[in-house]
Amino acid sequence: MSEEFQGFLTEQCELSRESIDLAARSAARSPHQLSLVLWQYGLISLEQLDQIWEWLAGQPVLAN
């Protein structure tokens, strides 16, 4: 997970580092589903889920 994404989650969604770590451990096999795990655990609202998806959609795609 990028530092920018972590910063977005803590600043814009007001999530604690512990909440992010919990969701990241649960989404370890499917890291692209982190935002859904946050929502499933009740750590974010549907509005925040939408904000996260909008933020992710605006990020550049890195080629390997």
Side-chain angles (χ1 to χ4, degrees), residues 4-5 8 50-62:
E4 291 89 7
F5 188 41
F8 174 81
D50 189 46
Q51 283 181 314
I52 291 170
W53 285 344
E54 285 181 21
W55 186 86
L56 290 171
Q59 299 304 301
V61 177
L62 300 175

Side-chain angles (χ1 to χ4, degrees), residues 3 9 16 23-24 26 30 40 48 53-54 58-60:
E3 288 185 33
L9 293 173
S16 68
S26 296
S30 302
Q40 288 175 332
Q48 290 172 308
W53 285 344
E54 285 181 21
Q59 299 304 301

Side-chain angles (χ1 to χ4, degrees), residues 1-20:
M1 175 182 342
S2 72
E3 288 185 33
E4 291 89 7
F5 188 41
Q6 289 180 20
F8 174 81
L9 293 173
T10 56
E11 294 167 22
Q12 297 298 316
C13 296
E14 300 179 354
L15 288 171
S16 68
R17 184 68 194 149
E18 292 80 15
S19 295
I20 296 168

Side-chain angles (χ1 to χ4, degrees), residues 22-64:
L22 172 68
R25 283 191 303 273
S26 296
R29 292 185 183 168
S30 302
H32 58 283
Q33 294 186 1
L34 177 65
S35 55
L36 288 175
V37 171
L38 288 166
W39 176 72
Q40 288 175 332
Y41 282 11
L43 299 171
I44 60 172
S45 67
L46 283 176
E47 291 83 14
Q48 290 172 308
L49 180 61
D50 189 46
Q51 283 181 314
I52 291 170
W53 285 344
E54 285 181 21
W55 186 86
L56 290 171
Q59 299 304 301
V61 177
L62 300 175
N64 289 335

